PDB file of all heavy atoms in Angstrom:
ATOM      1  N   GLY A  66      47.218  64.892  60.127  1.00 83.00           N
ATOM      2  CA  GLY A  66      46.663  63.970  59.308  1.00 83.00           C
ATOM      3  C   GLY A  66      45.476  63.152  59.905  1.00 83.00           C
ATOM      4  O   GLY A  66      44.445  62.837  59.387  1.00 83.00           O
ATOM      5  N   ASN A  67      45.718  62.812  61.209  1.00 84.00           N
ATOM      6  CA  ASN A  67      44.688  62.030  61.928  1.00 84.00           C
ATOM      7  C   ASN A  67      43.435  62.822  62.164  1.00 84.00           C
ATOM      8  O   ASN A  67      42.323  62.332  62.229  1.00 84.00           O
ATOM      9  CB  ASN A  67      45.219  61.556  63.250  1.00 84.00           C
ATOM     10  CG  ASN A  67      46.121  60.353  63.162  1.00 84.00           C
ATOM     11  OD1 ASN A  67      46.086  59.600  62.099  1.00 84.00           O
ATOM     12  ND2 ASN A  67      47.050  60.129  64.032  1.00 84.00           N
ATOM     13  N   ILE A  68      43.566  64.155  62.326  1.00 84.00           N
ATOM     14  CA  ILE A  68      42.470  65.037  62.518  1.00 84.00           C
ATOM     15  C   ILE A  68      41.533  64.953  61.355  1.00 84.00           C
ATOM     16  O   ILE A  68      40.245  64.909  61.369  1.00 84.00           O
ATOM     17  CB  ILE A  68      42.896  66.519  62.807  1.00 84.00           C
ATOM     18  CG1 ILE A  68      43.504  66.591  64.191  1.00 84.00           C
ATOM     19  CG2 ILE A  68      41.652  67.399  62.799  1.00 84.00           C
ATOM     20  CD1 ILE A  68      44.104  67.984  64.493  1.00 84.00           C
ATOM     21  N   LYS A  69      42.102  64.995  60.193  1.00 82.00           N
ATOM     22  CA  LYS A  69      41.437  64.945  58.927  1.00 82.00           C
ATOM     23  C   LYS A  69      40.892  63.525  58.603  1.00 82.00           C
ATOM     24  O   LYS A  69      39.705  63.296  58.191  1.00 82.00           O
ATOM     25  CB  LYS A  69      42.247  65.386  57.725  1.00 82.00           C
ATOM     26  CG  LYS A  69      41.509  65.466  56.405  1.00 82.00           C
ATOM     27  CD  LYS A  69      42.355  65.994  55.332  1.00 82.00           C
ATOM     28  CE  LYS A  69      41.561  66.063  54.029  1.00 82.00           C
ATOM     29  NZ  LYS A  69      42.423  66.525  52.897  1.00 82.00           N
ATOM     30  N   ARG A  70      41.823  62.486  58.804  1.00 79.00           N
ATOM     31  CA  ARG A  70      41.480  61.117  58.453  1.00 79.00           C
ATOM     32  C   ARG A  70      40.277  60.593  59.275  1.00 79.00           C
ATOM     33  O   ARG A  70      39.351  59.869  58.783  1.00 79.00           O
ATOM     34  CB  ARG A  70      42.700  60.237  58.646  1.00 79.00           C
ATOM     35  CG  ARG A  70      42.441  58.761  58.274  1.00 79.00           C
ATOM     36  CD  ARG A  70      43.742  57.933  58.368  1.00 79.00           C
ATOM     37  NE  ARG A  70      43.534  56.620  57.929  1.00 79.00           N
ATOM     38  CZ  ARG A  70      44.498  55.743  57.856  1.00 79.00           C
ATOM     39  NH1 ARG A  70      45.808  56.077  58.215  1.00 79.00           N
ATOM     40  NH2 ARG A  70      44.268  54.516  57.473  1.00 79.00           N
ATOM     41  N   TYR A  71      40.304  60.907  60.606  1.00 79.00           N
ATOM     42  CA  TYR A  71      39.241  60.393  61.525  1.00 79.00           C
ATOM     43  C   TYR A  71      38.191  61.428  61.721  1.00 79.00           C
ATOM     44  O   TYR A  71      37.368  61.225  62.679  1.00 79.00           O
ATOM     45  CB  TYR A  71      39.894  59.894  62.836  1.00 79.00           C
ATOM     46  CG  TYR A  71      40.827  58.695  62.618  1.00 79.00           C
ATOM     47  CD1 TYR A  71      42.212  58.935  62.570  1.00 79.00           C
ATOM     48  CD2 TYR A  71      40.411  57.480  62.376  1.00 79.00           C
ATOM     49  CE1 TYR A  71      43.088  57.862  62.362  1.00 79.00           C
ATOM     50  CE2 TYR A  71      41.286  56.378  62.123  1.00 79.00           C
ATOM     51  CZ  TYR A  71      42.627  56.626  62.144  1.00 79.00           C
ATOM     52  OH  TYR A  71      43.471  55.573  61.949  1.00 79.00           O
ATOM     53  N   ARG A  72      38.110  62.530  60.966  1.00 81.00           N
ATOM     54  CA  ARG A  72      37.075  63.536  60.976  1.00 81.00           C
ATOM     55  C   ARG A  72      36.856  63.921  62.452  1.00 81.00           C
ATOM     56  O   ARG A  72      35.764  63.792  62.996  1.00 81.00           O
ATOM     57  CB  ARG A  72      35.786  62.929  60.366  1.00 81.00           C
ATOM     58  CG  ARG A  72      36.011  62.713  58.841  1.00 81.00           C
ATOM     59  CD  ARG A  72      34.758  62.284  58.187  1.00 81.00           C
ATOM     60  NE  ARG A  72      34.258  61.019  58.681  1.00 81.00           N
ATOM     61  CZ  ARG A  72      33.041  60.442  58.419  1.00 81.00           C
ATOM     62  NH1 ARG A  72      32.252  61.082  57.697  1.00 81.00           N
ATOM     63  NH2 ARG A  72      32.750  59.258  58.980  1.00 81.00           N
ATOM     64  N   LEU A  73      37.857  64.464  63.066  1.00 80.00           N
ATOM     65  CA  LEU A  73      37.785  64.853  64.451  1.00 80.00           C
ATOM     66  C   LEU A  73      37.213  66.272  64.621  1.00 80.00           C
ATOM     67  O   LEU A  73      36.968  66.603  65.801  1.00 80.00           O
ATOM     68  CB  LEU A  73      39.138  64.814  65.109  1.00 80.00           C
ATOM     69  CG  LEU A  73      39.871  63.390  65.134  1.00 80.00           C
ATOM     70  CD1 LEU A  73      41.181  63.509  65.881  1.00 80.00           C
ATOM     71  CD2 LEU A  73      39.049  62.364  65.804  1.00 80.00           C
ATOM     72  N   LEU A  74      37.011  66.932  63.593  1.00 83.00           N
ATOM     73  CA  LEU A  74      36.325  68.299  63.698  1.00 83.00           C
ATOM     74  C   LEU A  74      34.868  68.207  63.836  1.00 83.00           C
ATOM     75  O   LEU A  74      34.073  68.792  63.105  1.00 83.00           O
ATOM     76  CB  LEU A  74      36.782  69.093  62.442  1.00 83.00           C
ATOM     77  CG  LEU A  74      38.246  69.438  62.234  1.00 83.00           C
ATOM     78  CD1 LEU A  74      38.508  70.136  60.872  1.00 83.00           C
ATOM     79  CD2 LEU A  74      38.703  70.327  63.434  1.00 83.00           C
ATOM     80  N   ARG A  75      34.491  67.428  64.803  1.00 85.00           N
ATOM     81  CA  ARG A  75      33.100  67.300  65.156  1.00 85.00           C
ATOM     82  C   ARG A  75      32.870  67.376  66.575  1.00 85.00           C
ATOM     83  O   ARG A  75      33.772  66.982  67.456  1.00 85.00           O
ATOM     84  CB  ARG A  75      32.497  65.977  64.628  1.00 85.00           C
ATOM     85  CG  ARG A  75      32.413  65.851  63.093  1.00 85.00           C
ATOM     86  CD  ARG A  75      31.881  64.521  62.672  1.00 85.00           C
ATOM     87  NE  ARG A  75      32.742  63.380  63.097  1.00 85.00           N
ATOM     88  CZ  ARG A  75      32.323  62.070  62.992  1.00 85.00           C
ATOM     89  NH1 ARG A  75      31.088  61.806  62.567  1.00 85.00           N
ATOM     90  NH2 ARG A  75      33.118  61.159  63.370  1.00 85.00           N
ATOM     91  N   TRP A  76      31.699  67.830  67.068  1.00 86.00           N
ATOM     92  CA  TRP A  76      31.411  68.012  68.412  1.00 86.00           C
ATOM     93  C   TRP A  76      31.551  66.655  69.196  1.00 86.00           C
ATOM     94  O   TRP A  76      31.889  66.565  70.401  1.00 86.00           O
ATOM     95  CB  TRP A  76      30.085  68.672  68.695  1.00 86.00           C
ATOM     96  CG  TRP A  76      29.723  68.806  70.101  1.00 86.00           C
ATOM     97  CD1 TRP A  76      28.766  68.065  70.807  1.00 86.00           C
ATOM     98  CD2 TRP A  76      30.282  69.641  71.075  1.00 86.00           C
ATOM     99  NE1 TRP A  76      28.712  68.478  72.104  1.00 86.00           N
ATOM    100  CE2 TRP A  76      29.635  69.430  72.360  1.00 86.00           C
ATOM    101  CE3 TRP A  76      31.294  70.667  70.966  1.00 86.00           C
ATOM    102  CZ2 TRP A  76      29.943  70.179  73.413  1.00 86.00           C
ATOM    103  CZ3 TRP A  76      31.648  71.323  72.144  1.00 86.00           C
ATOM    104  CH2 TRP A  76      31.015  71.079  73.376  1.00 86.00           C
ATOM    105  N   GLN A  77      31.053  65.565  68.558  1.00 84.00           N
ATOM    106  CA  GLN A  77      31.085  64.334  69.163  1.00 84.00           C
ATOM    107  C   GLN A  77      32.445  63.794  69.532  1.00 84.00           C
ATOM    108  O   GLN A  77      32.633  62.945  70.440  1.00 84.00           O
ATOM    109  CB  GLN A  77      30.380  63.230  68.282  1.00 84.00           C
ATOM    110  CG  GLN A  77      28.848  63.523  68.077  1.00 84.00           C
ATOM    111  CD  GLN A  77      28.706  64.488  66.900  1.00 84.00           C
ATOM    112  OE1 GLN A  77      29.609  65.152  66.473  1.00 84.00           O
ATOM    113  NE2 GLN A  77      27.474  64.467  66.361  1.00 84.00           N
TER     114      GLN A  77
END
Side-chain angles (χ1 to χ4, degrees):
N67 284 336
I68 291 175
K69 182 178 180 180
R70 181 176 183 177
Y71 296 102
R72 295 183 297 173
L73 300 182
L74 294 173
R75 293 182 296 170
W76 177 252
Q77 295 86 344

